[in-house]
Amino acid sequence: MQSMKYSTGSSSTSRKLLFRQLFEKESSTYTYLLADASHPDKPALLVDPVDRTVDRDLSLVNDLGLKLVYAINTHVHADHVTGSGLIKTKVPGVKSIISKASKASADILVEAGDKIQFGDLYLEVRATPGHTVGCVTYVTGDGPDQPQPRMAFTGDALLIRGCGRTDFQGGSSKQLYESIFTLPKDTFIYPAHDYKGFTVSTVGEEMLYNPRLTKDEETFKSIMENLKLSYPKMIDVAVPANMVCGLQDLESKAA
């Protein structure tokens, strides 16, 4: 578990972003906890929660004295079931968020340019399709009263030294190639998954060393078309569940 507290770098405010990076080993998923630690309510959100680790994540929220307000997803996951719906059953008032383009169910459907406010801090929504049609990246706010350097939660669009596959869920190698590397080079990259033990990178680092995305578009397209990856073992369970905020089982039992 990575533990950091970011100063905003502003002399006129004392706002700070409380940040935790959490890991779910079965799907190699990172979940991120962010909170405005200087706000009286300490409002918090979770990015890409996993159903298997909901109790752990909520315990941490309680230990830190935070008020969880949002459970947000970067896209409709195919390799695990989101914890968003389960969190909503355990913590009244929490709202789920996903992109409108994903066509999934959530309390709030966001589009490019929208802002997700938590206390005096916010995340900006950026469309980064290609892995799936509805993939978005959440980026910390721009301005003197927001965390610097900025942080981007890229889901499966941009991984550390890699990227998400583009062969299902409306994926497109062309869209993916065009939708990344639009942030300042010092922006921290926090992906939804890592399989080699990496925890963080930067936009500039990936522009130099990412073995797929440093190629020209045609070479990138060829790479993505010849990955020969196996069918995701959780896709037939995860995608239907995640289209209804991870509550497919609960809904079927209630029917």
Side-chain angles (χ1 to χ4, degrees), residues 53-64:
T53 49
V54 161
D55 288 340
R56 176 203 65 187
D57 298 347
L58 293 182
S59 178
L60 179 60
V61 168
N62 289 332
D63 288 347
L64 296 175

Side-chain angles (χ1 to χ4, degrees), residues 48-49 73-80 82 156 169 192-193 238-239 242:
D48 288 335
N73 285 280
T74 53
H75 64 293
V76 174
H77 305 280
D79 46 11
H80 69 270
T82 177
D156 287 16
Q169 287 183 275
H193 302 282
V239 170
N242 291 332

Side-chain angles (χ1 to χ4, degrees), residues 165 167-168 227-233:
R165 60 195 293 179
D167 58 335
F168 59 85
L227 291 177
K228 298 180 180 179
L229 298 173
S230 60
Y231 192 68
K233 62 181 180 180

Side-chain angles (χ1 to χ4, degrees), residues 9-213:
S10 171
S11 59
S12 61
T13 70
S14 59
R15 296 172 195 157
K16 290 183 178 179
L17 172 68
L18 184 147
F19 171 68
R20 300 289 187 272
Q21 183 179 40
L22 306 158
F23 190 64
E24 196 284 306
K25 63 181 181 180
E26 294 300 322
S27 58
S28 297
T29 298
Y30 284 124
T31 295
Y32 300 98
L33 173 64
L34 292 80
D36 184 344
S38 294
H39 191 278
D41 295 332
K42 294 188 177 180
L45 56 83
L46 284 165
V47 180
D48 288 335
V50 181
D51 61 347
R52 297 184 183 193
T53 49
V54 161
D55 288 340
R56 176 203 65 187
D57 298 347
L58 293 182
S59 178
L60 179 60
V61 168
N62 289 332
D63 288 347
L64 296 175
L66 309 176
K67 179 183 179 181
L68 188 64
V69 291
Y70 296 124
I72 74 180
N73 285 280
T74 53
H75 64 293
V76 174
H77 305 280
D79 46 11
H80 69 270
V81 175
T82 177
S84 299
L86 187 56
I87 288 169
K88 283 168 51 64
T89 69
K90 293 174 176 284
V91 185
V94 172
K95 294 187 180 300
S96 57
I97 298 177
I98 200 166
S99 72
K100 184 177 182 179
S102 71
K103 301 188 183 303
S105 299
D107 295 312
I108 300 172
L109 301 176
V110 293
E111 298 179 279
D114 288 348
K115 293 181 179 179
I116 302 170
Q117 196 83 28
F118 56 110
D120 296 312
L121 304 175
Y122 69 89
L123 294 180
E124 174 191 316
V125 180
R126 294 195 174 212
T128 48
H131 172 60
T132 74
V133 173
C135 282
V136 294
T137 290
Y138 300 108
V139 187
T140 52
D142 190 17
D145 60 344
Q146 301 295 312
Q148 298 296 332
R150 301 178 76 181
M151 306 162 70
F153 302 93
T154 57
D156 287 16
L158 177 58
L159 305 177
I160 299 173
R161 306 300 191 267
C163 63
R165 60 195 293 179
T166 58
D167 58 335
F168 59 85
Q169 287 183 275
S172 165
S173 58
K174 177 178 177 60
Q175 281 190 320
L176 183 58
Y177 191 84
E178 294 174 348
S179 68
I180 55 177
F181 295 152
T182 60
L183 292 163
K185 291 183 179 181
D186 64 347
T187 304
F188 287 118
I189 296 296
Y190 290 100
H193 302 282
D194 191 84
Y195 308 97
K196 297 180 180 179
F198 293 115
T199 58
V200 63
S201 184
T202 66
V203 169
E205 196 173 312
E206 294 307 307
M207 289 175 72
L208 288 174
Y209 303 118
N210 192 299
R212 296 180 186 174
L213 295 160

